[in-house]
Amino acid sequence: MGAADGAARTRAWGVGLVLVSSVCFGASGPFGKALIEAGLGPLQAVWLRIATAALVLVPVTVVLRGRSAARGLRPHAGRLVLYGLTGVAGCQALYFVAASRLPVGVAILLEFSGPVIVLAWLRLVRRVPVHRTAAAGVAVAMTGLAMVVQVWAGLSLDPLGLAAGFGAAACQAAYFLIVDRLAGQVDPLVITASGTAVAAAALTALAAPWALPWEVLPAPVPVAGFAAPGWTLVAWIGVVSTVVAYLTGVAGLQRLPAQVGGAICYTEAVAAALIAWAVLGERLTPAQMLGGVIVLTGAYLAQRAAAARPADLPAGVRGGAGPDAGQGFPPRSGHEPGTTAVTGAEA
């Protein structure tokens, strides 16, 4: 009972952290949109968001982790750079490009095909048996997401927009897969700090911050019927929708298989729709509300795929002392890095 109870607690923490991450990511929309309408370019807004996060995270990581952070970086430097280029910079920038050339709902739907890529990669490349419940959860959530974003409204198939949308999906898939491979080996704080630093550096040339209209930051920016200094909105999307979002997301995925975490992230679209309704007064149609319920149902189905009992798994992938020890987070539910909790197969 002790091992089973511990696995259940770890799984519950994982699901909760991914849900918090989804809400924080979803909360970026109204404030980022207000900054863009005030005069920032989409890539400039993304760069400010990620650069702010890096300015917060890197010093905090140095103070809290010190030399242990450097030791965690060396053996995984390649994956951490790839994480920053894809899971942070690529995902954010390509989504903004897609949204600027396609209806926002279509761009979101394309980006959130990432979990489908995760399942395909696990099954076809890593030869990992994909849990039927996780696959069903992704399918149900995709159906609900199409209803939430009303993908049928105003469809325009711009080739560059489509390419950017699928690129964002591939980067989102990389986010889940890379974090899954780093689970238990690198502290979530180190992963997030290094990822934002790499992303900010990579986007500098594209965003051209030297040409940024800095006067937007002290000026009042209309949002939600009020006006707030632009820098406060930058602080929100940098700290809440990036630092908190990525930290809780990485920490949650450390406790869940990639195929499960990928499905639960669909709740971000529901959170974004609800926040836009509450903050911007954007009304939800009955079809969108039903779609939100379907998305949550898909996420619930997917998280059940992580409920395998440790006794059902082969020796060597059950809970216990492992590389998680001393990293500041508990062992993942019944599996070591690079394995899936629902099959015990090597990822």
Side-chain angles (χ1 to χ4, degrees), residues 57-58 60-62 64-74 76 80 83 182 185-197 247 250 254 327 329:
L57 282 167
V58 171
V60 168
T61 302
V62 171
L64 296 181
R65 298 294 185 262
R67 293 181 180 178
S68 65
R71 288 195 297 270
L73 285 171
R74 292 192 193 100
H76 306 286
L80 289 169
Y83 168 78
L182 293 174
Q185 301 181 62
V186 184
D187 190 311
L189 185 58
V190 175
I191 294 175
T192 309
S194 58
T196 55
L247 275 177
V250 170
Q254 295 270 11
Q327 292 289 337
F329 46 88

Side-chain angles (χ1 to χ4, degrees), residues 24 49 52-53 56 233-246:
C24 290
R49 173 184 181 179
T52 299
V56 172
L233 305 187
V234 171
W236 175 274
I237 63 175
V239 177
V240 176
S241 295
T242 307
V243 173
V244 177
Y246 273 104

Side-chain angles (χ1 to χ4, degrees), residues 201-226:
L203 288 173
T204 297
L206 294 175
W210 50 86
L212 194 147
W214 294 101
E215 65 274 9
V216 171
L217 301 186
V221 175
V223 60
F226 300 95

